[in-house]
Amino acid sequence: MPTTRNGDVSLYYEADGDGPTVVFVNDVGYGPWLWGWHYDAVAGPYETVVWDLRGTGRSDAPDGPYDVETLAADLEAVLADHGVGSAHLVGAGLGGMVALQYAHQYSRARSLTLYCTAGSGDAVDRDALDALALDAPSSLDGAFSPAFRGHDPDLMDQIADWRAEEDAAGAARDAQAAAMTAFDAPPLYEITQPTEVYYGLEDPVVSPETVQSLSADLPRGTGEAVEGRHCCYVEHAPAVTDRLLAFLDEQTG
């Protein structure tokens, strides 16, 4: 599978499908398992690109600090290596911040779909974010509602296995979390791509009010509420993915 480099950091990515390119950008610590619920629906009518952020999975894990601007430069290296002229960006949490920075700084972003993200790291609850870490007790509690966790214990076990194999941990995960909490968005009025912003009604990491404010400050932003916590877009993946596909279809004509 392909790798590219940003400076001395090797970055791993995978691509599948055919059509306009959709790039998924991970949240703090999470590996590409995060997009499994979206991937099968999107790959086919669209080309999908999933990549491991620095510090995660098969990408290098250099010493910190990390920042969102550097992660956006990593994304540019991936898209340039893969020969992508334009792309729809789908980012969660930290990945949404990377998408915002990328859309402002580079020319390839065609649309943005943002899940549970904020325009400022000051609005991120660092304690709640750290409670999601792989080595934290009850690390899925802040990600999924009790009803979702209780409905399918086997799925929770599967997610735990995926996380053990793919997630960032230790200093690399801390560096990603620090990048998220230090983020200060570029002028939002200058980010003119069509943008849909989703927020979890019970998200302990980024409050609904924070995400609503972000969507209101984006010239072409809309906000959508989803029942659930920080990974509400996984918990309600069928409905969220249907909306994502409809949005992508609107942007590609």
Side-chain angles (χ1 to χ4, degrees), residues 140-150 202 227-229 235-236:
L140 294 179
D141 288 5
F144 303 114
S145 70
F148 184 72
R149 298 196 311 272
E202 299 177 356
E227 295 284 345
R229 299 186 176 177
E235 187 164 341
H236 297 282

Side-chain angles (χ1 to χ4, degrees), residues 24 80 89 93 98 105 109 113 121 126 143 159 174 190 194 251:
F24 294 98
L89 306 184
V98 174
Q105 190 170 352
T113 301
R126 179 61 188 264
I159 289 173
D174 289 344
E190 295 179 355
Q251 305 315 313

Side-chain angles (χ1 to χ4, degrees), residues 46-132:
Y46 295 91
E47 179 188 50
T48 56
V49 175
V50 180
W51 60 294
D52 292 345
L53 272 65
R54 61 173 61 204
T56 305
R58 289 158 286 191
S59 291
D60 286 347
D63 294 336
Y66 301 173
D67 56 54
V68 170
E69 187 171 352
T70 298
L71 297 173
D74 289 346
L75 174 56
E76 172 68 1
V78 168
L79 297 185
D81 183 76
H82 193 53
V84 175
S86 66
H88 303 278
L89 306 184
V90 181
L94 172 62
M97 294 175 171
V98 174
L100 288 168
Q101 182 69 39
Y102 185 89
H104 184 265
Q105 190 170 352
Y106 300 96
S107 62
R108 302 178 204 266
R110 190 168 178 180
S111 74
L112 308 179
T113 301
L114 312 177
Y115 300 134
C116 301
T117 197
S120 171
D122 291 341
V124 176
D125 187 318
R126 179 61 188 264
D127 290 339
L129 179 63
D130 287 343
L132 302 177

